[in-house]
Amino acid sequence: MTVPAIEAARPQRCVIHVGGIVQGVGFRPFVYALATRLGLGGFICNRADGVIIEIEGAPSQLDSFLKEMDLHCPPAARIEQIQVARVPPRGEMAFSIGASDASMQPEERFFSPDVGTCDACLEELFDASDRRYRYPFINCSQCGPRFTIVRNAPYDRERTTMAAFAMCGPCRAEYDDPQNRRFHAQPIACSACGPKLAARDSEGRELVVDALLFFEELLLASRIIAVKGIGGYHLTCDASSETATRRLRDRKHREEKAFAVMVADIAAARRLCDISATEADLLSSARRPIVLLRRRADAPVAESVAPGNPLLGVMLPYSPLHHLLARSAGRPLVLTSGNRSDEPIAFEDGDALMRLKGIADGFLTHDRAIHLRCDDSVVRETSNAPALIRRSRGYAPEPLRLPAPCRPRVLALGGHIKNTFALGRGKHAFLSHHIGDLGEWEAYKSFRNAIGHYQALFAFEPEVIAHDLHPLYSTTEYARERASQPGVRLIGVQHHHAHMASCMAEHGLSGPAIGVTFDGTGYGSDGSLWGGEFLVGDYRKFHRAAHLRPIPLPGGERAIREPWRMAVACLLDCGEEPEKLRSSVRTEDIRIVRHMIEKRLHSPLTSSAGRLFDAVAALLGVRGDTTFEGQAAMELEWLAESSNAPDGYPFEIVDGADSRALLVDTRPLFKALVDAVPRGDRATIARRFHNTLAEIVDVVVGRLSDATGIEDVVLTGGVFQNALLLEMTRRKLETRGLAVYTHTRVPANDGGLAFGQLAVAAQAEDA
Ligand code: ZN
Ligand code: ZN
Ligand code: FE
């Protein structure tokens, strides 16, 4: 017989501190509702470094409270830490929301990324009886613009671009009511008091028409419309119309690089692509990235949307305006950044009207200012986790954890292309939104402005500035300029060491590790161009343990845009006649490039793996000239996917000149390719080339691991965005019993460089 408990467990009281992104995301109303439901007493209030909850009740209910708070917190909240301390109970029975402590310690500032429209708001948007029916700027404390409208900290309406709008009575009542889901929703608005849509013609003149009808009319006429979104202007058109898509390509001077499309919902996305459960989650997550999906043969999109591409970038609507557009269109829409070729996305109205004039046949704009430009993020599912290719809207500036606390405050400037920068403070890294290719003046300006903005928001003055070693990068120039400020020291971080550190830091590895860093090119410690490197080391030090055989890059930058030049270089390198090149290149051009290489004119050596892909693509006649970065390698990957040839081509591993490094001799590979190309099937050859690279990595890493005893391997650099190469390599290395780490939350390409620079500088001996 069991003895019944004589007294119910006595109430207990706890003080809970929750740190992270818990302000501006509906956290307090959520906690209020949870505590009330569980019959607990106490209060919650915002504090400098998160929220403080005092809570009192039966121990079992307190346990449930903690569990549910962590499990079911609002989707946009990011809990970084929870600390619980017991205090004496006070007999408090009711729960309340206390006044905020407005003092914000700069050390603890966090900002929420922009959040896609939540289900509750979406329901109201299409509910004819709701007062915000079809209102394009509906939002609540759990969704809506955040980071792109913040002018300054702390995040309150008067310091956002919503300050220009005075709340009407009903909005104010919702804003002030702790039980309302719009309690303290800073961008709260309605058609009576909030931003309004406007339609403008191709000349930018405002039209007195229904803006959404205007959009529909232009769309049906295969016209191009510029639409002001959350982080900037998009150019949009009917993705099922070849006429419209071609027109957009011609006007935007974007020849072949794929456009992303937006559809109303998952069901519509499934008509375009085959979608896994993970991909469906990514598409419908509140972050709303562009997800690269395998396109269906019968997908109702025009060929020009993504020419020759087996993948399609798909996005679901992320703002109420986009929901309205997608539903009224009832067909896939092209949604591409509002710019001309490689310029940064337009986000200011005057600038957009000027720059997009001649491209757009009409403008759909509004009067809520965008304070910070922010491109869409791009993500792709890989065998172990979704991998970010571009980390921007919906992700930035969420903190990433550093493997060890950053002692000095570090600003890491990133690379020259796909630029992002990062701030490091304590255990957190704040990786910026996508800035772009700094070769463009507009992008460089945007880089400088964005650094100023982040420094002000996070109240951050760097003590260390980490930069790439390349002496000619504009980021390096910027670092030198800032070095004249008192108290600022520079730390140069080798490009591939940064890539390696970025992947290690993402997985919290402390090292040592073997870093396979395959990319386009980066400035090596010896002043030559690297890009096919095997590094061994940790954050503090590394050595180049092996690398691909260096080959001339005839014409430097030009050889990157014209892969046929690399093919000529590789053929000459292995003693073959470059005239064997199967392509439309003129003999005269080949002769000139041959001369450059033989006389070593403007032909720096590079060990780049990316350039090998270029050479093979050109040799195969897949692509001799490119219109965007990485195009040749991508097309080679698509071709290789259609073959399942198991074997590779020969290569040799020899001791290099400085005897510390192994050298991968690729000449046997190219000799074999020259033999194979005239007779062989192109897909088989492309596949066998991929197999060879995977085998090279496997054999070299195997040797390095045997020699050093290191079993952690990171695969990083832009070349590892190649899913086929990545998966084959991973399998081989795992079969050896090694632990393989690849990028998921930070891009493998140069978009992840700043994070790696930060991880290195945070632990540098002289830091
Ligand atoms: Zn909402
Ligand atoms: Zn209102
Ligand atoms: Fe790189």
Side-chain angles (χ1 to χ4, degrees), residues 369-703:
I370 298 170
H371 192 67
L372 182 87
R373 126 194 314 142
C374 199
D375 287 85
D376 301 318
S377 294
V378 183
V379 64
R380 181 180 184 179
E381 186 186 5
T382 67
S383 72
N384 63 335
L388 274 168
I389 291 167
R390 184 160 74 197
R391 183 185 185 276
S392 204
R393 180 187 49 73
Y395 294 85
E398 202 175 282
L400 293 159
R401 231 156 229 275
L402 287 165
C406 195
R407 270 162 297 140
R409 289 185 301 273
V410 182
L411 165 64
L413 300 178
H416 192 66
I417 58 164
K418 299 186 168 63
N419 178 273
T420 61
F421 60 85
L423 313 184
R425 191 177 56 198
K427 54 187 184 299
H428 291 123
F430 300 91
L431 185 59
S432 80
H433 60 290
H434 168 80
I435 308 279
D437 295 357
L438 299 186
E440 294 280 333
W441 167 246
E442 275 297 321
Y444 182 60
K445 222 168 69 185
S446 164
F447 165 79
R448 296 182 67 110
N449 291 342
I451 289 180
H453 182 52
Y454 274 65
Q455 281 197 203
L457 278 186
F458 288 90
F460 184 95
E461 272 306 324
E463 296 159 286
V464 167
I465 294 184
H467 62 91
D468 195 89
L469 292 180
H470 201 301
L472 301 179
Y473 276 6
S474 42
T475 45
T476 309
E477 203 175 298
Y478 177 80
R480 282 194 294 258
E481 180 189 318
R482 299 260 327 236
S484 59
Q485 292 173 352
V488 171
R489 277 171 307 124
L490 301 189
I491 293 183
V493 183
Q494 199 278 323
H495 190 97
H496 303 94
H497 187 210
H499 272 308
M500 171 180 176
S502 160
C503 193
M504 286 172 65
E506 191 184 315
H507 294 283
L509 302 183
S510 51
I514 298 170
V516 185
T517 62
F518 279 9
D519 67 354
T521 53
Y523 196 81
S525 308
D526 58 2
S528 77
L529 294 173
W530 293 5
E533 313 308 306
F534 297 79
L535 309 181
V536 173
D538 53 24
Y539 300 100
R540 294 185 175 206
K541 55 188 185 318
F542 74 95
H543 80 274
R544 189 189 193 197
H547 59 88
L548 301 181
R549 177 183 161 83
I551 289 160
L553 187 66
E557 281 290 310
R558 260 193 93 171
I560 297 173
R561 288 191 307 271
E562 299 173 13
W564 66 267
R565 288 168 176 254
M566 276 321 290
V568 172
C570 288
L571 291 177
L572 277 175
D573 185 55
C574 68
E576 294 285 345
E577 285 305 310
E579 284 71 20
K580 286 187 179 165
L581 187 59
R582 185 171 99 179
S583 79
S584 53
V585 184
R586 293 180 3 210
T587 333
E588 176 61 10
D589 289 338
I590 294 181
R591 202 187 56 76
I592 294 169
V593 164
R594 176 178 196 150
H595 179 76
M596 283 172 74
I597 294 168
E598 284 169 351
K599 296 281 179 245
R600 303 194 134 220
L601 299 169
H602 197 35
S603 297
L605 291 177
T606 178
S607 54
S608 162
R611 298 290 84 83
L612 284 193
F613 275 86
D614 288 356
V616 176
L619 256 180
L620 275 178
V622 171
R623 181 155 290 278
D625 293 276
T626 61
T627 60
F628 63 92
E629 199 251 343
Q631 185 180 18
M634 263 168 54
E635 291 179 359
L636 198 63
E637 178 188 356
W638 303 338
L639 191 59
E641 277 175 345
S642 58
S643 157
N644 48 19
D647 50 346
Y649 295 112
F651 59 90
E652 263 175 60
I653 296 172
V654 291
D655 285 324
D658 61 359
S659 77
R660 275 187 79 208
L662 299 172
L663 185 70
V664 181
D665 191 343
T666 47
R667 285 176 300 183
L669 161 66
F670 277 90
K671 274 191 166 303
L673 281 169
V674 168
D675 264 4
V677 166
R679 310 172 273 109
D681 162 60
R682 297 202 312 171
T684 310
I685 297 172
R687 176 65 191 230
R688 291 185 67 189
F689 168 69
H690 277 75
N691 296 345
T692 312
L693 273 192
E695 218 170 293
I696 287 174
V697 174
D698 181 44
V699 173
V700 173
V701 168
R703 278 181 63 168

Side-chain angles (χ1 to χ4, degrees), residues 25-307:
V25 290
F27 197 74
R28 286 177 302 161
F30 155 74
V31 166
Y32 176 90
L34 178 61
T36 311
R37 179 159 59 75
L38 294 172
L40 298 167
F43 66 88
I44 177 172
C45 65
N46 277 344
R47 203 181 71 176
D49 53 355
V51 296
I52 285 291
I53 304 166
E54 287 208 334
I55 193 141
E56 180 166 344
S60 62
Q61 297 299 85
L62 289 180
D63 277 351
S64 314
F65 175 83
L66 279 170
K67 258 183 226 131
E68 288 203 35
M69 181 178 73
D70 200 25
L71 269 177
H72 302 296
C73 77
R78 298 284 174 268
I79 296 181
E80 288 289 317
Q81 59 169 355
I82 302 178
Q83 284 167 334
V84 186
R86 286 272 294 275
V87 291
R90 293 189 204 158
E92 207 169 351
M93 308 295 280
F95 196 85
S96 62
I97 296 185
S100 298
D101 177 355
S103 64
M104 284 276 272
Q105 297 297 326
E107 289 71 37
E108 302 296 346
R109 284 184 185 173
F110 292 95
F111 295 91
S112 168
D114 301 302
V115 190
T117 310
C118 73
D119 290 345
C121 285
L122 191 57
E123 210 165 286
E124 289 178 3
L125 181 64
F126 292 108
D127 174 359
S129 68
D130 194 273
R131 74 183 188 92
R132 291 189 180 86
Y133 176 56
R134 292 181 68 81
Y135 179 56
F137 306 96
I138 186 172
N139 65 74
C140 71
S141 62
Q142 302 203 15
C143 77
R146 293 287 185 274
F147 193 54
T148 51
I149 61 166
V150 180
R151 287 203 172 105
N152 214 330
Y155 173 69
D156 277 316
R157 187 174 176 104
E158 65 262 36
R159 281 173 293 273
T160 69
T161 62
M162 280 302 292
F165 303 91
M167 277 180 230
C168 67
C171 282
R172 167 59 71 182
E174 291 171 320
Y175 183 88
D176 287 335
D177 175 6
Q179 304 213 47
N180 193 285
R181 62 186 193 86
R182 295 197 168 87
F183 175 65
H184 281 203
Q186 308 304 346
I188 190 174
C190 72
S191 51
C193 68
K196 287 181 178 47
L197 268 191
R200 291 173 183 275
D201 68 9
S202 59
E203 293 297 311
R205 286 178 296 239
E206 190 156 347
L207 303 170
V208 191
V209 292
D210 179 308
L212 290 172
L213 283 179
F214 169 72
F215 171 82
E216 244 172 278
E217 269 166 31
L218 286 181
L219 191 77
L220 290 178
S222 292
R223 294 284 151 188
I224 316 294
I225 311 105
V227 178
K228 183 177 179 182
I230 295 284
Y233 277 78
H234 280 113
L235 288 165
T236 179
C237 70
D238 179 353
S240 61
S241 157
E242 183 63 27
T243 317
T245 322
R246 279 247 134 258
R247 183 172 279 147
L248 179 55
R249 284 206 178 276
D250 290 346
R251 293 191 190 165
K252 196 177 140 89
H253 300 292
R254 174 147 154 165
E255 287 141 69
E256 288 157 310
K257 194 174 179 184
F259 286 139
V261 300
M262 181 177 77
V263 287
D265 50 32
I266 282 276
R270 287 192 196 282
R271 284 193 283 278
L272 301 180
C273 300
D274 296 320
I275 298 174
S276 72
T278 314
E279 288 166 339
D281 287 347
L282 285 170
L283 277 171
S284 38
S285 82
R287 302 173 184 279
R288 292 289 155 114
I290 295 169
V291 186
L292 297 183
L293 302 168
R294 202 145 280 277
R295 140 147 73 162
R296 289 169 55 131
D298 59 351
V301 291
E303 177 54 28
S304 299
V305 169

